[in-house]
Amino acid sequence: MSAIMPTYKRLPVAFVRGRGATLWDAEGKPYLDGLSGIAVTNLGHCHPRVTQAVVEQAGELVHTSNLFRIAGQEQLGAELISATGMDSVFFCNSGAEANEAAIKLARRTGHNRGTAQPTILVLEGAFHGRTLGALAATAGDKMRAPFEPMIPGFIRVPRDDLQAVHDLASNRNIVAILVEPVQGEGGVRPLDPIYLQGLRAICDEHGWLLMFDEVQTGNGRCGALYAYQRLNVVPDVLATAKGLGNGYPIGACMARGEASLALGVGDHGTTYGGSPLACAAGSAVVNTLADTRLLARADVVRERLLAAFWTDLVEPDNVAEVRGLGLMVGIEVTVPGEGLVLAALERSAVINVTAGNTIRLLPPLVMSDAEAEQLGRVVAEVVNQASEVTT
Ligand SMILES: Cc1ncc(COP(=O)(O)O)c(C=O)c1O
C-alpha cells in the first residue's frame, strides 16, 4: 500500500530531470513537455535565472517571518506593482491561498462599508482552488458535494451573460465579482473581452470590486505578464500563483485603490508567504518576463503548434472547437477524451485533458518552433488514433 493518500490518479511515469521544454524519466527517456506542471514552469524547467536566484538565496537566508521586514518581499512587491499598476500585494504560497486572500479582501471591503453579509458573484465553469473558500467559489457538484456544507456568500451566474449580472444589481450585499479571464479547468474557455469590459462597467457603477483569478492565465502564460493586459480591462484585485515562482511555490493577491487598503494588521497572514527564498524565485521570474520577446513567443508557439496539428489531423470533424489565449490552448475534440493523455505519453509527450474532452496544452514560453510542431503532430496522431478506435 502506498504511503500517499490516494487523492490523485497518477500517470505511470516519474520524471527525474527537466530542462526547458524537456523532461526525462529515470531511464533517461526524454518527453516533450506540453503541460509545464499545469501552467507553472512557464519559463521552462530549471530556467538558469530562476535556478541561480534560488541557489544563491538558499545559501544566504531561506526564511525569517512576516514579523520582520523582508527585503526580497518588498522588492518583488515593488516589481509587481510597477509591472501591473496595482497598489499593494499580499504574498502567500498557492493559487487557492491567493483566492482566499481575495475573498477575505472583498468581504473586509464589504464590512468596512457596513455590509454585514458581503456576497461575491462567481461563474459557472469556474475553478478557484480546493480550500473551502476557493471551493465555494468553484463550480461543479463533483468537487463540492463531498465537502458540503459550502461556506455561504457566493452567487453563481452563467459565463458571458451580462444581463444575469445586471439582474442582480439591486442586491445590496454584492461586493465583488471573481472571474478567470480564461477558465482553465473549465475547458480553456476565454471570457468574451466585451463581457469583461461590461463587468468592469457594472463594477464601476455599483462600487463592486472586479477580481481576476490569474492563477493559471498569469505570469506570461497568455502572452502578457497578466492576461488582463491583453484584454483592455483592469481589475481591482488580481490573484496569481503557479508561474510566479516557475515551480517554487509562491502566490500573490494584488489590489488597487480602496481594495489595496482593505486588509489591516491582523486581518490576514501566513507563516511562509513571501519568504526570502520564494521572493527570490518570483523576482527572477518577473524580471525574466520583462523581455517582451519572450512574451511574444506565446502566440508564435501557439500558431506553430496548431498549424502542425491541423496539417496532420486526418478528420477535421474530430475537433469541435479550438480555444484559448496565448499558450493556453484548448482543443475540444469529439473523440473520447480518456486515453489521449496516455497515448501522448507513449509518444513521449506530456499533455492534459480537462472538462472531459478538451485537450489542454500549456507548453513553456521557451519551447522552440520545432518542439511546438512536434507537439502539434503528436496531438494530431492521438486524436487520429482515437478516431480509428471509435469508428
Ligand atoms: C484559475 C485557478 N485558480 C486557482 C487554482 C488553485 O491553485 P493551487 O492549486 O495552487 O491552489 C488553480 C489551479 O489549477 C487555477 O487554475
Side-chain angles (χ1 to χ4, degrees):
M1 210 176 86
S2 167
I4 310 297
M5 285 192 193
T7 58
Y8 303 99
K9 190 173 171 208
R10 294 181 195 268
L11 290 159
V13 61
F15 301 112
V16 295
R17 190 166 167 265
R19 284 290 179 282
T22 306
L23 285 163
W24 285 269
D25 68 12
E27 280 74 50
K29 181 179 168 192
Y31 292 78
L32 191 53
D33 188 0
L35 187 60
S36 306
I38 321 185
V40 170
T41 51
N42 295 352
L43 302 179
H45 295 283
C46 300
H47 188 281
R49 277 180 79 172
V50 183
T51 300
Q52 189 189 351
V54 168
V55 167
E56 278 175 12
Q57 188 61 49
E60 204 61 46
L61 183 65
V62 172
H63 173 81
T64 54
S65 159
N66 283 304
L67 292 174
F68 310 104
R69 288 184 64 176
I70 299 174
Q73 190 180 118
E74 289 173 20
Q75 184 185 322
L76 177 58
E79 287 160 355
L80 284 170
I81 279 166
S82 130
T84 60
M86 296 287 136
D87 292 322
S88 66
V89 189
F90 175 85
F91 286 109
C92 52
N93 310 288
S94 68
E97 280 182 59
N99 285 326
E100 292 290 340
I103 292 165
K104 284 185 72 174
L105 190 156
R107 287 185 169 200
R108 189 73 172 98
T109 300
H111 285 281
N112 289 346
R113 294 176 182 173
T115 307
Q117 300 291 323
T119 298
I120 301 171
L121 297 192
V122 288
L123 297 190
E124 282 171 8
F127 182 83
H128 297 295
R130 306 287 196 145
T131 52
L132 284 174
L135 190 61
T138 292
D141 283 347
K142 200 168 148 231
M143 255 181 281
R144 294 156 50 99
F147 305 102
E148 293 282 354
M150 287 294 113
I151 69 161
F154 296 91
I155 297 177
R156 196 164 305 282
V157 288
R159 116 187 106 219
D160 279 344
D161 183 348
L162 274 182
Q163 192 54 48
V165 181
H166 276 298
D167 289 347
L168 289 162
S170 60
N171 184 330
R172 302 224 148 234
N173 290 329
I174 296 172
V175 288
I177 308 181
L178 173 64
V179 302
E180 300 152 82
V182 182
Q183 292 186 331
E185 306 299 307
V188 193
R189 294 182 182 279
L191 295 181
D192 186 341
I194 305 290
Y195 173 72
L196 291 172
Q197 286 155 21
L199 290 186
R200 178 69 274 171
I202 296 174
C203 285
D204 288 342
E205 193 183 333
H206 300 290
W208 301 345
L209 301 176
L210 183 59
M211 310 205 294
F212 279 4
D213 174 349
E214 290 232 31
V215 170
Q216 191 163 150
T217 54
N219 310 298
R221 175 57 44 197
C222 291
L225 183 59
Y226 293 101
Y228 80 84
Q229 294 167 321
R230 292 191 84 171
L231 299 169
N232 276 331
V233 184
V234 182
D236 302 297
V237 177
L238 178 63
T240 195
K242 285 195 184 273
L244 184 55
N246 207 50
Y248 193 89
I250 177 169
C253 176
M254 300 174 237
R256 68 187 177 104
E258 177 193 1
S260 71
L261 302 169
L263 293 173
V265 171
D267 278 339
H268 200 37
T270 151
T271 295
Y272 290 126
S275 75
L277 190 51
C279 291
S283 279
V285 168
V286 171
N287 288 317
T288 304
L289 287 173
D291 182 349
T292 51
R293 287 167 307 178
L294 189 57
L295 292 173
R297 287 298 295 165
D299 286 352
V300 178
V301 172
R302 176 192 183 85
E303 277 161 29
R304 293 289 174 136
L305 190 166
L306 287 174
F309 169 73
W310 286 118
T311 303
D312 281 23
L313 186 74
V314 172
E315 185 46 75
D317 282 352
N318 288 333
V319 174
E321 196 177 23
V322 174
R323 297 184 290 264
L325 182 65
L327 273 181
M328 271 181 93
V329 183
I331 304 175
E332 187 180 327
V333 290
T334 53
V335 297
E338 74 256 17
L340 296 177
V341 171
L342 263 182
L345 216 47
E346 279 160 16
R347 290 168 170 78
S348 304
V350 179
I351 66 167
N352 176 251
V353 171
T354 188
N357 56 351
T358 297
I359 298 172
R360 177 171 50 165
L361 303 171
L362 303 162
L365 294 164
V366 297
M367 181 171 266
S368 70
D369 290 355
E371 288 170 327
E373 285 158 12
Q374 171 63 10
L375 184 61
R377 279 194 295 273
V378 169
V379 176
E381 276 170 32
V382 298
V383 175
N384 293 339
Q385 187 193 31
S387 162
E388 280 164 25
V389 172
T390 49
T391 48

